[in-house]
Amino acid sequence: MAFMEQLGHRSSSPLYAPSHRKAVRSAKLSALHARLSLPSKLPLQTLARCLIDPSADPRQGYNNKPFSILGQDLLGYYTSEYLLCRYPRLPMPVLFAAQYAYVGNATLAKIRSEWGVEAVAAPGTEVDAGLLQLKKMIPRDASLYGETEQVQNGELPTAPRIGTGRRVRSPHWRRGLSSRIVFDDEFGDLRAGLPDAQPYPGAPISTAAQEQLQVDDEIEEGTSDAILEETPQTPETDPTTLTDASAGFVRALTGALYLHAGIRAAKQFHRDHILSRHVPLHQLFNFTHPTRDISKLCAREGFEPPVARLISETGRYSRTPVYVVGVFSGEDKLGEAAGASLNEGRVRASAAAMRAWYLYSPPENDVVLPSEVEGAGGSRKGAKVWKPQMIDVGEVIT
């Protein structure tokens, strides 16, 4: 009995971050819960775990890595279905850029800052549970430490990897747009940070894990007297940047909301904090030959060939003339723009016409997202009725 009482007051594993018992007494954590209007189904202990980055605590049962993986898939799914249903003609490069603009690391880090969540200087058990726990990467000059070659080869955790994204790499394979769609992540980038697979069945586990299993077995048998105190420990983990840790926190919070409060709470959270942000999609386009693109588009859709016409002009014989040129297909004006010369106005008007074609959006009443009717079965209150969504034939390739 004395042993069991001692076991109830002590922990069988070292602590790297504040204990979950401190979460209910954290004023910062309670204020964050109220500030974000989180449902009562999400406990403060889970919110505190969402703030623990794997660099601060390597144990997946205590950090936010499992929640972050689920939240990343949910954010990518909700954002991609919104973009595809609202703008069915978006080219894939623009879709990837829009995805990153909504749920990329830089955006999620800014959201964390706007929420008022502060980061710790160094992780430990003595800090407040309402702070973002991470082991910060120290900025330094790579050339002074001989890391320039590693950065070029993509061996550092934060460096972009070079390759095609396929499991079996070959120098003859080209990483094109199809490869980015099939093998890469939701941003069209090479997947990084994938969990290491077991090299072969029966592979030995690490020494630390073996020692932990022995301690657990001895505790179950009731013969262990070597129980670790709740003292701060220094984990041997790789440091990370504040941007990556902030993105992991927002993704983990989304995953935790989905698990505790359901799909409706997760979608409402995504709508309030992600889709409510303004992204200028028209600035993501970069046309190389817009005049050729608009000609190909008109030929594909059966329109009359495009013709550039001068609408108005001013200052033809001055230093700064302005020509307003429109691109017409028959009697329909496809685009209009101003330029310092007739040719510049024609090119800008063609680009405006292509931009207007790609940014077409169906009527509001016709847009029904797949997640809005998912699992409804016609019985859920407030569920929408599914309507087939528009699928475009594809972007113009010249």
Side-chain angles (χ1 to χ4, degrees), residues 51-288:
L51 288 166
I52 302 176
D53 189 76
S55 62
D57 193 337
R59 301 170 299 175
Q60 291 193 2
Y62 295 85
N63 58 33
N64 62 6
K65 186 64 177 294
F67 292 151
S68 179
I69 295 176
L70 176 60
Q72 181 177 5
D73 292 339
L74 290 174
L75 291 178
Y77 169 53
Y78 293 152
T79 306
S80 61
E81 70 169 0
Y82 171 82
L83 292 173
L84 289 174
C85 293
R86 295 278 178 172
Y87 307 99
R89 293 175 177 170
L90 281 182
M92 285 306 301
V94 178
L95 180 63
F96 285 144
Q99 283 263 100
Y100 185 81
Y102 273 112
V103 292
N105 286 5
T107 301
L108 298 183
K110 191 173 183 180
I111 291 176
R112 189 273 312 168
S113 178
E114 293 172 355
W115 287 349
V117 179
E118 301 176 346
V120 298
T125 58
E126 71 282 357
V127 299
D128 194 288
L131 300 176
L132 180 60
Q133 314 284 327
L134 77 152
K135 184 178 180 181
K136 293 184 179 180
M137 180 178 295
I138 301 176
R140 59 184 183 181
D141 190 355
S143 61
L144 299 179
Y145 293 88
E147 297 175 352
T148 54
E149 184 178 356
Q150 291 182 342
V151 173
Q152 293 174 359
N153 294 333
E155 297 178 1
L156 292 180
T158 57
R161 297 183 180 181
I162 301 175
T164 61
R166 297 176 173 88
R167 291 184 178 273
V168 181
R169 298 183 180 180
S170 174
H172 305 289
W173 288 344
R174 182 178 64 88
R175 181 171 175 259
L177 189 59
S178 299
S179 176
R180 295 176 63 189
I181 296 173
V182 176
F183 297 103
D184 296 345
D185 60 7
E186 65 269 25
F187 308 130
D189 297 329
L190 289 172
R191 295 182 179 273
L194 295 177
D196 297 333
Q198 191 176 12
Y200 55 89
I205 58 178
S206 62
T207 305
Q210 288 179 347
E211 294 175 354
Q212 183 60 40
L213 290 176
Q214 292 177 1
V215 172
D216 294 341
D217 294 340
E218 292 175 354
I219 290 177
E220 292 180 358
E221 295 175 0
T223 59
S224 174
D225 56 352
I227 301 179
L228 300 175
E229 297 284 348
E230 291 189 0
T231 55
Q233 303 290 330
T234 303
E236 295 297 333
T237 57
D238 295 328
T240 185
T241 61
L242 181 59
T243 300
D244 294 342
S246 302
F249 158 62
V250 179
R251 291 172 180 143
L253 183 55
T254 306
L257 268 176
Y258 180 83
L259 294 176
H260 282 275
I263 183 175
R264 298 185 65 179
K267 280 190 63 64
Q268 184 65 33
F269 181 83
H270 178 263
R271 189 181 304 111
D272 294 341
H273 298 281
I274 303 298
L275 296 183
S276 61
R277 306 178 70 86
H278 173 65
V279 176
L281 295 178
H282 65 280
Q283 297 181 3
L284 303 180
F285 291 88
N286 184 19
F287 299 102
T288 307

Side-chain angles (χ1 to χ4, degrees), residues 329-386:
S329 176
E331 298 297 330
D332 299 326
K333 184 171 67 174
L334 305 180
E336 176 184 331
S341 64
L342 291 174
N343 185 58
E344 181 182 353
R346 179 176 63 90
V347 173
R348 289 179 178 270
S350 301
M354 292 299 301
R355 196 179 298 112
W357 172 266
Y358 283 133
L359 290 178
Y360 163 78
S361 181
E364 184 72 21
N365 297 332
D366 294 340
V367 177
V368 179
L369 303 182
S371 61
E372 293 177 343
V373 296
E374 190 177 55
S379 60
R380 193 178 69 186
K381 184 178 180 180
K384 292 185 178 181
V385 180
W386 171 251

